[in-house]
Amino acid sequence: MTVPLSVLDLAPIAPGETARDSFAASVELARAAERAGFRRVWYAEHHNMPTIASSATSVLIAHVAAHTETIRLGAGGVMLPNHAPLTIAEQYGTLETLHPGRIDLGLGRAPGSDQVTMRAMRRDPMAADTFPQDVLELQGYLRGESRVAGVQATPGAGTDVPLYILGSSLFGAQLAAALGLPYAFASHFAPAALHEAVALYRSQFRPSEQLAEPYVLAAVNVVAADEADDARAQLDAMRRTRVRGMVQRGAGGREYTDAEIDEFLTTPQGRQLADMMRYAVAGTPSDVGRYLDDFAAEARADELIVAFQSLGVADRLHSVALTGAIAAGAAA
């Protein structure tokens, strides 16, 4: 591999399983990533989604950190308009104090939910408008240079938890460049603006106290297996599951067969949904290695963050091990 690899753990709750099962799987996935030499594992904030367990990112990170030793852990990301910057500074300052040198804080401005859930969270619909100012306020708390007179983050002040700006549009690229922060693009589910956003970020980047040169993380979907046919079948099953969930939201919960989902995927709307996973590879380790090297070059990425897309926990863990072995072999 030409660039470091990291993991985006989507913390899925599989059919017939519970959030507790998902948390146990997240611990095992992080341990596997640590053994395999991945740089970091991130968790994303989502709300009111019955198939995703990572709503409380700081709590999940604390749990996984207590069961791992060296791998970096972080949010990819916290949806900052849902929270007061001081609260996030205290949470992630606490994590950094407990696990020094291991905590990342990725920040996004999306709600991580639908409109009804936004109201249930008491989120101000205009909160996203102050995202740049909120990032600076949060950064000040973590540096011990508060922008709010008389207010310090305890714990948090002086921990300098590294910040990352997440995005899937040009807004995040411009903000990350202006603030001199690393930029993580959500190309695993929103691929359309990847190249334009990265080019904009790199051309407008201004060095900062945290970062001297632009640094891009690009997300990609991966299924690695011993046999290529098995890997492709696993990716197809995940794609059907994701599309089925989207379709059923507007169909009163009606269950669709695999054949019906495959037929839907041939329609213009289905192809549009399938294109959300445009950047995906399923194959043997050699297949995956070639694809990731090509994708890193195409995306001009300094690091890839991998969403392992196998439905079964055992398959995900095996995929992590095989992909990590690719990177280790390339670095040897």
Side-chain angles (χ1 to χ4, degrees):
M1 283 301 305
T2 56
V3 300
L5 297 182
S6 294
V7 176
L8 176 62
D9 181 358
L10 300 173
I13 303 174
E17 296 187 349
T18 66
R20 186 180 181 87
D21 296 323
S22 176
F23 298 147
S26 288
V27 168
E28 292 307 312
L29 190 70
R31 286 174 169 168
E34 187 171 72
R35 290 191 299 270
F38 285 81
R39 177 168 288 185
R40 67 187 94 240
V41 181
W42 279 0
Y43 309 90
E45 176 186 345
H46 295 282
H47 300 282
N48 194 32
M49 294 187 181
T51 60
I52 297 178
S54 55
S55 55
T57 55
S58 60
V59 180
L60 179 55
I61 290 166
H63 177 65
V64 176
H67 290 83
T68 51
E69 297 179 1
T70 58
I71 195 163
R72 297 192 67 88
L73 301 164
V78 164
M79 301 299 109
L80 191 55
N82 292 344
H83 312 276
L86 177 61
T87 299
I88 298 303
E90 291 169 342
Q91 290 177 4
Y92 282 80
T94 298
L95 287 169
E96 176 63 23
T97 301
L98 291 169
H99 306 283
R102 295 184 58 198
I103 303 302
D104 300 328
L105 178 50
L107 303 168
R109 66 171 183 148
S113 60
D114 54 39
Q115 297 295 318
V116 175
T117 307
M118 281 177 58
R119 290 195 292 273
M121 296 177 65
R122 306 298 192 267
R123 171 171 163 153
D124 182 345
M126 305 303 293
D129 294 345
T130 61
F131 180 62
Q133 293 80 14
D134 289 346
V135 172
L136 290 172
E137 182 181 336
L138 171 59
Q139 187 178 60
Y141 290 133
L142 293 170
R143 286 180 175 171
E145 301 169 356
S146 176
R147 291 171 172 255
V148 181
V151 178
Q152 295 289 337
T154 306
T159 56
D160 288 309
V161 177
L163 302 183
Y164 298 73
I165 299 298
L166 278 60
S168 58
S169 68
L170 303 187
F171 177 88
Q174 291 174 315
L175 180 62
L179 298 183
L181 295 175
Y183 180 52
F185 193 89
S187 36
H188 64 300
F189 79 94
L194 170 63
H195 301 294
E196 186 177 3
V198 170
L200 181 66
Y201 168 71
R202 289 192 175 278
S203 67
Q204 296 187 3
F205 181 84
R206 300 175 185 173
S208 69
E209 184 177 332
Q210 178 177 328
L211 192 65
E213 301 288 340
Y215 194 87
V216 173
L217 299 90
V220 58
N221 301 291
V222 168
V223 176
D226 298 314
E227 301 292 337
D229 288 346
D230 181 24
R232 287 191 288 268
Q234 290 182 42
L235 184 61
D236 287 344
M238 173 57 77
R239 183 180 286 110
R240 289 189 193 101
T241 297
R242 181 173 292 185
V243 172
R244 182 180 286 111
M246 294 175 181
V247 172
Q248 286 177 185
R249 288 177 198 169
R254 177 185 179 282
E255 290 288 340
Y256 288 86
T257 66
D258 285 353
E260 288 175 318
I261 293 297
D262 288 343
E263 179 65 25
F264 173 73
L265 286 169
T266 67
T267 68
Q269 184 183 4
R271 286 193 295 270
Q272 184 177 8
L273 290 178
D275 188 56
M276 293 172 66
M277 292 181 67
R278 181 192 312 173
Y279 295 118
V281 58
T284 64
S286 59
D287 297 330
V288 171
R290 285 192 297 271
Y291 181 92
L292 293 182
D293 276 335
D294 290 345
F295 175 69
E298 176 190 344
R300 300 175 64 192
D302 301 289
E303 182 177 335
L304 298 183
I305 187 156
V306 176
F308 287 99
Q309 292 291 356
S310 302
L311 284 171
V313 175
D315 287 333
R316 278 204 303 281
L317 295 176
H318 190 49
S319 193
V320 168
L322 291 176
T323 305
I326 299 165

